[in-house]
Amino acid sequence: MTRPTEIIVVPHTHWDREWYEPFQRFRLRLVALLDDVFERMARDERQRFTLDGQLAAVDDYLEVRPERREQVIALVRAGRLAVGPWQILLDEFLCSGENIVRNLERGLTRSADLGGPMPVGYLPDMFGHIAQMPQILTGAGLAHACVFRGVPDRVRTHAFAWQAPDGTTVRTEYLPGGYGNAAGLMDDAALVTRRAADLADRLTAWRPEDSTSPILAMYGTDHAAPAPNAPDLLAAADVDGVRLRLGTLAEYFATQPTTVDGLPTVAGELRSHVRANILPGVISVRAHLKQAMGLAERRVERYAEPLAALFHDPSVQRFLDMAWTRLIDASCHDSVTGCGCDETAEQVAARLAEADQLGRAVCDLVGARLSAAVPRDGYLLFNPSPVPRTALVRLDVAAPGDTVALAGADGQPLPAQVLDRARTLLADEVVPAADLPAVLTRVHGRELYGQEVTRWSVSPADATLTFEVARHGDPAFDVEDVRLALADAAQPDRWRVRILAAPRATVAALVDVPALGHAAVRPSSATAGQPTGAAAVVDDRSLDNGLLRVDVAEDGTLRLSTPDGIAVDGVGRIVDGGDVGDSYNYAPPAADELVDKPRAVRVVPRHRGPLVAVVDVVREYRWPVAADVDAGSRAVDREAIVVTTRVELRAGERFVRLRVEFDNRCDDHRVRLHLPLPAPASASYAEGQFAVVERGLTAEGGGGEVPLPTFPASGFVAAGAAAGSLAVLLTQPTEYELTDGGRELAVTVLRSIGMLSRNRHALRDEPAGPQLPTPLAQCRGERSVELAVLPFRGEWHAGGVAEAAESYRHELLAFPGTADPSVALPAPVTGLTVAGSGVALTSVRDRDGRTEVRMVAETPDTTTAVLGAGRPVRGARRADLLGRPGERLDVDADGLLRLPLRSWEIATVQLDLA
């Protein structure tokens, strides 16, 4: 095979922002490295550097060295320093598709501020790649991708056409040997020529016979700088007929075509183990980080941004920007993955908590303005879904009588169920008369014990001081009046002090709420209504709502049965096994012991309907306390673990909600929830990142790790056959596996491990990182996971799975009213409707005064999205993923926008609403 005439050597560093050391300690190294690199570049015009495809490294550096900003801009403009296009190098499977888009948008925008982005979708170290990445990159104007991990065995050339589910392709460069395939090229000056010749021979094997284009050699590795005299060493190298020159990654791609003509096509996600480890254990390690990511993303994407955009509150934009900063930072491929040190995990958790708090703050600000029109005994309810819904909401309301009813603006009683009643006696104590002044200091203005004083009385006859409190008190109350009354009263030695709260109850109600809009409810004197369909009821060990029946078996598992004949037993079996792996890869002990049979089971009814039927299934197990890595077995000592599964069935829902919780007091183990399928499955269908991906029972192997068929899912995973299927509805990225030849679906609840990486790992040839203890990754303490199970017939896209997941993942949001009780309830308001078969909403945001809506056609068929609003649509236009305006779109006479979509298309439109 003929050698190329030129090798472009790209000096770079792969910068893990935080990993086996926390962020600030790594930043110290980053500043020292870039100080050195930039000083060399100032002295030598031949120097080139590619800064890992992520702006975060630049931002982190300039925060410490702001005086270098102009030098950075000059180097970028000169084409000597390549920055961007990402804000941060993310893990693609552990954040939402919208998070990926915002990451790219921010990185491209920030790169433009610094002189211009590298026009390459550089993805060097992600643990596999999502199916829709080609469409995302192309939609942002990038013509190239560059990848390492996950590339399948059938790729035999350095370039291939990577195809997204919608048919979009992007020319993709594969990095044989990884992003450091030339890392040792200049370690020894005397060996540069020989190593360059070997490199040329290795990389030439990946080129077509007739190729004359340069070869790409990646000269760099983790947290390392290139040799200071790299230009001289390359100039002195004498490789027969081959020129070696320094260049940026952008300079290399400028020599490559942008078309995919003649290239082999690879469709869909890249999750092969054959060429590099994809380290699938990161999906399930430190599961609380994945839960926090899912919660914060939903809060910002589906509640805070739509509320601010649709109900005109630009004052909160800075809060949203700060939330996105934290979400994007947390998505880093060594952050949300949980494969860093304990300090890193703690910082990621704090970042995600702040993102969620910022999202909630935006909801509170906008919601408070909207609920100012609702009487203070009522609530304003926001529906985050783009279709009208009849949904259940739990509210804390005044409950003066034995029954509680609620009504909407039309005065009609709503279906309601009392779930709980609050205590009315908050205090009843006898105190010495001398302590009464101290008792009165408990009153702050009108506030007492978190409520407000409505009435009070002093009874000298029985020496009793009584306060009555409620959510809203008497504006005329003055504690000084109480002091005077006590002073005037006879003075017994001891007083009885009582604090009585107005009766309140937690009530479940079924409420109709418009699409992305709001409706208001308040207590009513009428009799509570009944659900339109069958009620949800509990009968002994069974729950039934007419759409689904759930029976609790003697071993605590569930039998699910539907009116159309689907029946499945054994759902919810808990299986605990050993795990002597690390944060990157699961590994069972050589002599593993599985515990799946409880020692005791009891069923405790909690709510009997008619809207909510709930039982707790309490199972007691004896789990080994740890595992012995060297012995290859689990410990003999046992710990009693009580696992409580809350089983909830709501009126009108075709799925059962499960919450599994326990106090983890064991180490080195994996806990999975098993769900037998109605019929054996040959494939699973997992939703996440703008796609639903079909996966088989095995994974392609041949590389350095055993290819376990454990996979990620974000919105749902479905599997089954013609006789029936199950879908597991999810609220966070979750690991699953089809086991027992496709007969069962296993969902990982917990992986408890104690090492970041192990030097010796049964299922992986080489370490994935340093062997460092991570005691917090044992995840001791209270642990829980929430999911729902939906039996269905037919294909997932025809079985209502996506619609059920949308409903399950997005509860109504309630805001208490603040207006005078004499005010009438406001009428329901529609914010925005997005309808169409298979059309899923992913974002609603304000974009320079227009309402920008992003959606994806999650369907194997073409479809039409129909958009409307609660007010006139004055104009509409398409936009790309970065919000740059495109073609204008027609709005029909009914004020609706009808947008044809190809299968799996990600579409962005901007609406001008009146």
Side-chain angles (χ1 to χ4, degrees):
M1 185 170 288
T2 305
R3 280 180 178 171
T5 58
E6 183 177 49
I7 297 178
I8 297 178
V9 179
V10 176
H12 74 100
T13 184
H14 174 56
W15 200 263
D16 300 293
R17 192 171 187 246
E18 53 192 359
W19 181 21
Y20 57 82
E21 290 183 357
F23 164 56
Q24 295 298 354
R25 294 184 67 186
F26 266 143
R27 173 148 72 170
L28 187 70
R29 295 197 209 177
L30 173 71
V31 171
L33 182 147
L34 291 183
D35 278 347
D36 185 34
V37 168
F38 291 155
E39 286 166 11
R40 294 182 212 166
M41 298 183 83
R43 294 192 301 266
D44 187 345
E45 290 287 329
R46 297 173 298 169
Q47 295 277 4
R48 298 290 188 273
F49 198 65
T50 295
L51 200 42
D52 206 28
Q54 54 179 336
L55 249 291
V58 183
D59 290 341
D60 295 342
Y61 176 76
L62 291 179
E63 187 175 19
V64 178
R65 296 279 192 265
E67 67 276 10
R68 292 273 195 182
R69 179 181 173 84
E70 293 308 315
Q71 181 191 9
V72 168
I73 292 174
L75 289 170
V76 172
R77 287 177 175 169
R80 298 174 57 207
L81 175 66
V83 299
W86 298 99
Q87 179 63 29
I88 207 160
L89 290 181
L90 68 159
D91 185 282
E92 299 170 34
F93 291 95
L94 295 178
C95 62
S96 68
E98 193 60 32
N99 197 334
I100 296 172
V101 171
R102 303 302 179 93
N103 185 339
L104 188 55
E105 176 187 334
R106 184 168 292 196
L108 288 168
T109 300
R110 290 281 298 112
S111 300
D113 293 341
L114 293 174
M118 178 173 70
V120 179
Y122 185 52
L123 303 162
D125 197 31
M126 289 70 168
F127 307 148
H129 304 284
I130 62 168
Q132 288 281 32
M133 186 57 75
Q135 189 177 177
I136 292 172
L137 296 178
T138 302
L142 300 177
H144 296 276
C146 185
V147 302
F148 165 42
R149 301 184 192 271
V151 174
D153 184 62
R154 65 181 180 276
V155 172
R156 300 288 175 169
T157 61
H158 74 102
F160 62 93
W162 186 10
Q163 186 178 74
D166 76 317
T168 299
T169 56
V170 64
R171 186 189 180 280
T172 302
E173 185 82 14
Y174 169 54
L175 299 174
Y179 55 81
N181 57 18
L185 178 63
M186 289 176 260
D187 287 353
D188 186 332
L191 298 178
V192 173
T193 294
R194 192 178 83 184
R195 289 177 176 174
D198 291 343
L199 180 69
D201 289 340
R202 265 191 295 120
L203 297 182
T204 297
W206 291 88
R207 321 292 289 192
E209 284 283 354
D210 57 350
S211 174
T212 59
S213 67
I215 275 182
L216 171 63
M218 298 297 289
Y219 172 51
T221 188
D222 296 359
H223 311 130
N229 58 341
D232 294 330
L233 291 174
L234 289 188
D238 183 14
V239 181
D240 185 28
V242 179
R243 176 192 176 212
L244 291 94
R245 71 176 174 95
L246 292 183
T248 65
L249 200 57
E251 288 179 290
Y252 168 75
F253 278 98
T255 70
Q256 301 300 302
T258 58
T259 65
V260 296
D261 296 343
L263 295 178
T265 298
V266 176
E269 67 178 4
L270 305 180
R271 287 196 63 85
S272 171
H273 303 251
V274 70
R275 302 201 185 280
N277 296 341
I278 64 169
L279 311 169
V282 301
I283 303 165
S284 53
V285 74
R286 303 191 200 260
H288 62 283
L289 295 182
K290 284 70 173 177
Q291 291 173 330
M293 176 66 90
L295 175 64
E297 285 177 331
R298 286 198 312 282
R299 182 89 71 192
V300 174
E301 295 173 14
R302 295 299 303 273
Y303 292 88
E305 276 197 330
L307 271 167
L310 295 172
F311 299 104
H312 302 300
D313 198 336
S315 68
V316 300
Q317 187 57 50
R318 184 61 187 137
F319 289 99
L320 293 170
D321 292 342
M322 290 190 292
W324 276 114
T325 295
R326 286 153 179 81
L327 285 172
I328 292 168
D329 284 353
S331 73
C332 186
H333 69 288
D334 290 307
S335 299
V336 69
T337 46
C339 57
C341 62
D342 285 345
E343 294 92 335
T344 291
E346 289 177 317
Q347 290 180 336
V348 174
R351 220 172 278 146
L352 290 169
E354 285 192 359
D356 182 59
Q357 292 156 12
L358 286 160
R360 183 69 217 211
V362 170
C363 292
D364 290 344
L365 286 167
V366 180
R369 182 170 60 80
L370 296 173
S371 64
V374 177
R376 65 189 187 198
D377 62 345
Y379 286 88
L380 181 115
L381 308 176
F382 173 67
N383 172 19
S385 293
V387 293
R389 286 171 61 190
T390 300
L392 186 138
V393 64
R394 289 177 168 89
L395 301 173
D396 172 30
V397 299
D402 293 336
T403 61
V404 180
L406 297 172
D410 60 2
Q412 295 298 309
L414 302 170
Q417 174 187 342
V418 175
L419 302 178
D420 192 19
R421 291 185 180 271
R423 290 175 54 198
T424 55
L425 181 61
L426 304 186
D428 190 352
E429 58 183 326
V430 177
V431 301
D435 290 350
L436 285 176
V439 169
L440 295 185
T441 63
R442 300 173 188 170
V443 181
H444 304 91
R446 295 197 301 269
E447 185 272 329
L448 177 60
Y449 283 14
Q451 301 192 51
E452 294 185 359
V453 178
T454 57
R455 296 169 55 186
W456 60 275
S457 64
V458 172
S459 176
D462 53 7
T464 300
L465 169 62
T466 301
F467 290 100
E468 296 181 28
V469 297
R471 178 195 265 181
H472 302 285
D474 179 3
F477 171 77
D478 189 337
V479 73
E480 189 60 31
D481 294 336
V482 182
R483 288 195 182 94
L484 292 174
L486 288 170
D488 292 341
Q491 293 297 316
D493 293 336
R494 303 178 71 80
W495 282 79
R496 182 185 184 191
V497 179
R498 297 191 308 157
I499 303 174
L500 305 178
R504 300 191 69 82
T506 300
V507 176
L510 282 176
V511 187
D512 295 329
V513 189
L516 279 164
H518 55 79
V521 299
R522 71 188 305 182
S524 167
S525 59
T527 302
Q530 295 296 314
T532 303
V537 296
V538 173
D539 181 12
D540 192 21
R541 300 169 69 97
S542 300
L543 304 87
D544 200 334
N545 68 355
L547 302 173
L548 179 64
R549 181 181 174 87
V550 182
D551 297 292
V552 182
E554 292 300 318
D555 63 356
T557 62
L558 309 177
R559 173 182 172 83
L560 307 184
S561 53
T562 65
D564 63 353
I566 298 176
V568 58
D569 292 292
V571 171
R573 188 172 89 260
I574 299 290
V575 180
D576 173 70
D579 189 344
V580 294
D582 53 31
S583 63
Y584 293 98
N585 295 82
Y586 159 77
D592 198 7
E593 176 188 356
L594 300 180
V595 180
D596 66 349
K597 292 180 173 55
R599 293 168 60 88
V601 178
R602 57 192 175 93
V603 179
V604 183
R606 297 298 183 188
H607 302 298
R608 297 185 175 276
L611 302 187
V612 183
V614 178
V615 300
D616 285 345
V617 180
V618 183
R619 289 174 279 184
E620 182 183 323
Y621 298 86
R622 300 280 289 176
W623 289 349
V625 298
D628 188 325
V629 177
D630 296 326
S633 61
R634 305 189 73 182
V636 174
D637 293 340
R638 297 292 192 265
E639 184 76 49
I641 303 294
V642 175
V643 179
T644 300
T645 303
R646 174 150 291 191
V647 183
E648 178 178 335
L649 192 60
R650 298 181 180 180
E653 291 187 341
R654 298 166 49 225
F655 51 86
V656 59
R657 298 165 182 260
L658 305 180
R659 176 183 173 87
V660 180
E661 55 187 4
F662 56 92
D663 181 4
N664 180 41
R665 300 191 300 279
C666 303
D667 293 340
D668 311 318
H669 65 130
R670 180 179 71 173
V671 182
R672 299 208 289 186
L673 188 75
H674 282 244
L675 303 101
L677 300 174
S682 60
S684 63
Y685 299 86
E687 193 278 339
Q689 299 82 35
F690 303 134
V692 177
V693 178
E694 180 180 356
R695 301 180 178 123
L697 302 182
T698 60
E700 184 179 58
E705 66 186 352
V706 173
L708 298 179
T710 53
F711 299 108
S714 291
F716 64 80
V717 56
S725 301
L726 287 186
V728 180
L729 315 180
L730 304 166
T731 57
Q732 71 279 323
T734 300
E735 176 187 88
Y736 76 91
E737 180 182 4
L738 278 176
T739 65
D740 192 22
R743 293 176 178 83
E744 286 197 345
L745 187 63
V747 175
T748 304
V749 174
L750 172 74
R751 277 190 68 228
S752 177
I753 54 93
M755 284 287 177
L756 186 150
S757 175
R758 291 190 184 275
N759 295 336
R760 297 176 60 199
H761 192 290
L763 304 185
R764 191 184 63 233
D765 290 344
E766 59 181 351
Q771 182 165 293
L772 294 176
T774 53
L776 294 185
Q778 296 287 6
C779 297
R780 282 178 164 260
E782 295 292 335
R783 298 294 155 186
S784 66
V785 65
E786 296 184 7
L787 50 82
V789 184
L790 169 72
F792 69 96
R793 288 193 183 277
E795 301 291 334
W796 67 266
H797 50 87
V801 176
E803 294 82 356
E806 167 69 24
S807 175
Y808 172 66
R809 289 165 56 85
H810 303 107
E811 300 269 15
L812 301 183
L813 186 59
F815 302 100
T818 56
D820 189 271
S822 63
V823 173
L825 289 176
V829 172
T830 297
L832 180 76
T833 60
V834 181
S837 177
V839 178
L841 178 74
T842 70
S843 172
V844 179
R845 66 191 290 198
D846 177 80
R847 174 84 75 171
D848 301 324
R850 290 185 171 86
T851 302
E852 183 175 280
V853 183
R854 186 150 32 246
M855 68 211 89
V856 57
E858 286 194 341
T859 170
D861 304 312
T862 58
T863 188
T864 298
V866 181
L867 284 75
R871 53 188 187 275
V873 180
R874 297 184 298 201
R877 64 188 185 189
R878 270 192 179 263
D880 69 6
L881 283 183
L882 304 182
R884 295 175 296 205
E887 64 173 314
R888 294 198 172 275
L889 301 170
D890 293 330
V891 178
D892 67 20
D894 296 323
L896 299 177
L897 170 64
R898 302 180 188 276
L899 185 67
L901 300 175
R902 63 185 180 274
S903 173
W904 304 110
E905 179 181 357
I906 305 167
T908 307
V909 298
Q910 293 172 350
L911 306 177
D912 184 8
L913 302 180

